[in-house]
Amino acid sequence: MLFRNHYGVDLGSSSVKVYSAFRNKTYIEKNMVAYRERKILSMGNDAYEMFEKAPADVTVNSPMAFGMIANLELQEIVLYSMMRKIDHTTGLGADMYFAVPLDMTAIEKRAYYHLVNGHWLRKNRVFMVESPIADAIAMNVNLEKEEGSMIVNIGAQSTEFSIITEGKIIISRKIPIGGRQMNESICSEIRKQYNLQIGTRTAKRLKLVMGRLNDQKKEARKVVGIDSVSGLPREEVVSASVVNEGITNCVNQIASEMKTFLERTPPQIAYHIAKEGIYLTGGSTRLPYLDNYLASYTGFAFNLSDLYETSAVRGLEKIIRDRELRKWAQPVKQKKL
Ligand SMILES: Nc1ncnc2c1ncn2[C@@H]1O[C@H](COP(=O)(O)OP(=O)(O)OP(=O)(O)O)[C@@H](O)[C@H]1O
Ligand SMILES: [Mg+2]
């Protein structure tokens, strides 16, 4: 029986995932805040609704950038408002398990501590689990074997490659490319091919309905954008092949970084990874046929997780529910910082 409430929290640049042990359930909300000067207008999914539609004096953005906390105060507000919605909590006295990036500086670690020991969230205990470890636990990877496993997470603003042997991450690399860069790449392809400027939200919609990395279906969608020459709004029918050209440009960068990463991996480890397959997760791996595409680019086999964006928070859930797994969480105390 758990007396204190336990939460698992994965702060992503695109969404916050929170597991509540009390409810035994995971909640996902957009990691966005809309504000005018110092006044908060909306948060989470409501703020995302305003994204790219808000008037000029309203700022809408994410408190996380490239997988790091960029605005502590706003991030605390988003997390607190989510926890209030879930458990009607006061924000006091819980155990908070965070999936965190590797190689954080002392200042970045301190940010996680202060996030839940600040204005609204107080007196909470903090535990950190390295994200790739949380992903691996969720995907049932045996962390303690000596041969080595490779985990790849393709998120919204970052892609991370990690190799784990004997319970440690021995090599890792994070690149600032993810789903958002795919959206931007779609925008620039459409600008090139149609002389039309569209917003990244429209690009994302095109990605979700037509994005796929194999033989194209002959599809097209109508969009409205701004004509690059006249500056006037214009309608255009955008074909799937243009959208996928944009996506492919971005995926090729990820694939080529992955290939270089694998080439630098010690041969005995690479040999085992080739046999076992690379574990693939993160929201952007929902892109149809991405695993096949990466497999033919790199020559390695892939195990695609069906957890996608929720894998890290699922790992935290397992750690919270199973005492045996608690060793993967490091407590963070204020005096140590
Ligand atoms: N069906 C889909 N096809 C392609 N991309 C998708 C699909 N569904 C979601 N995505 C993308 O997944 C990304 C969100 O993934 P995820 O939640 O793992 O990112 P995050 O954890 O918030 O970001 P990061 O880890 O980079 O900070 C978004 O960019 C979104 O566009
Ligand atoms: Mg993530």
Side-chain angles (χ1 to χ4, degrees), residues 6-10 15-29 82 86-87 307 309-318 320-321:
H6 290 53
Y7 291 95
V9 181
D10 175 20
S15 65
V16 181
K17 296 89 171 166
V18 176
Y19 167 74
S20 159
F22 179 62
R23 304 265 169 212
N24 192 19
K25 212 175 145 188
T26 293
Y27 302 78
I28 303 183
E29 187 136 359
M82 246 184 112
I86 299 168
D87 282 330
L307 295 166
E309 62 280 346
T310 58
S311 65
V313 76
R314 174 65 67 82
L316 297 177
E317 171 187 339
K318 284 177 135 182
I320 290 170
R321 288 163 63 88

Side-chain angles (χ1 to χ4, degrees), residues 173-337:
R173 175 157 164 70
K174 191 168 188 163
I175 54 171
I177 309 176
R180 214 166 286 174
Q181 285 66 35
M182 293 180 199
N183 304 343
E184 282 160 15
S185 183
I186 293 171
C187 290
S188 67
E189 202 56 40
I190 289 179
R191 201 166 46 235
K192 249 188 354 219
Q193 308 252 1
Y194 301 101
N195 271 329
L196 190 75
Q197 299 191 25
I198 61 162
T200 57
R201 259 179 77 135
T202 308
K204 179 172 176 181
R205 220 182 53 234
L206 294 172
K207 174 179 79 177
L208 297 188
V209 293
M210 300 197 292
R212 47 194 278 139
L213 291 173
N214 70 340
D215 306 335
Q216 309 295 328
K217 277 203 262 178
K218 293 240 174 310
E219 269 187 289
R221 284 282 185 293
K222 224 182 250 176
V223 297
V224 175
I226 305 287
D227 189 283
S228 313
V229 183
S230 69
L232 297 172
R234 172 163 71 81
E235 209 176 62
E236 181 71 70
V237 178
V238 170
S239 81
S241 61
V242 174
V243 171
N244 284 306
E245 202 161 323
I247 295 176
T248 307
N249 290 341
C250 193
V251 171
N252 282 345
Q253 287 179 47
I254 295 175
S256 129
E257 291 277 357
M258 196 185 291
K259 207 165 172 197
T260 313
F261 182 87
L262 283 161
E263 280 160 7
R264 292 197 188 137
T265 302
Q268 19 359 339
I269 295 176
Y271 174 70
H272 183 259
I273 290 170
K275 272 204 308 193
E276 185 186 62
I278 297 170
Y279 290 89
L280 187 62
T281 188
S284 290
T285 62
R286 285 186 182 275
L287 189 66
Y289 302 100
L290 178 66
D291 52 341
N292 298 0
Y293 189 89
L294 293 175
S296 59
Y297 197 110
T298 59
F300 280 67
F302 283 82
N303 310 307
L304 176 63
S305 163
D306 58 0
L307 295 166
Y308 304 105
E309 62 280 346
T310 58
S311 65
V313 76
R314 174 65 67 82
L316 297 177
E317 171 187 339
K318 284 177 135 182
I319 289 170
I320 290 170
R321 288 163 63 88
D322 182 351
R323 285 194 177 276
E324 293 257 302
L325 296 173
R326 292 276 170 93
K327 62 179 176 203
W328 300 107
Q330 266 90 50
V332 181
K333 304 232 166 57
Q334 188 177 24
K335 59 177 184 303
K336 276 202 180 161
L337 298 172

Side-chain angles (χ1 to χ4, degrees), residues 65-85:
F66 301 106
M68 292 289 180
I69 302 174
N71 189 319
L72 191 57
E73 200 183 356
L74 293 181
Q75 189 60 80
E76 184 185 353
I77 293 171
V78 173
L79 184 57
Y80 176 57
S81 82
M82 246 184 112
M83 287 167 62
R84 285 252 320 229
K85 265 200 234 166

Side-chain angles (χ1 to χ4, degrees), residues 10-15 17 67 131 135 153-156 158 282-283 309 312:
D10 175 20
L11 299 170
S13 338
S14 132
S15 65
K17 296 89 171 166
S131 295
D135 281 334
N153 185 314
I154 311 181
S158 58
E309 62 280 346

Side-chain angles (χ1 to χ4, degrees), residues 9-71:
V9 181
D10 175 20
L11 299 170
S13 338
S14 132
S15 65
V16 181
K17 296 89 171 166
V18 176
Y19 167 74
S20 159
F22 179 62
R23 304 265 169 212
N24 192 19
K25 212 175 145 188
T26 293
Y27 302 78
I28 303 183
E29 187 136 359
K30 286 278 170 211
N31 199 4
M32 282 267 165
V33 189
Y35 53 96
R36 181 186 280 124
E37 284 162 20
R38 289 199 45 87
K39 191 171 177 299
I40 306 267
L41 303 174
S42 60
M43 277 170 287
N45 298 345
D46 297 337
Y48 184 70
E49 283 307 308
M50 299 177 75
F51 187 55
E52 292 187 349
K53 285 188 204 156
D57 61 340
V58 175
T59 311
V60 187
N61 58 22
S62 169
M64 294 284 289
F66 301 106
M68 292 289 180
I69 302 174
N71 189 319

Side-chain angles (χ1 to χ4, degrees), residues 123-154:
K123 300 199 171 129
N124 296 296
R125 287 201 296 226
V126 180
F127 299 86
M128 291 182 177
V129 181
E130 291 171 321
S131 295
I133 298 273
D135 281 334
I137 289 174
M139 292 187 277
N140 297 319
V141 177
N142 176 2
L143 294 171
E144 272 155 314
K145 64 181 177 339
E146 60 177 298
E147 292 94 342
S149 296
M150 177 156 160
I151 317 285
V152 173
N153 185 314
I154 311 181

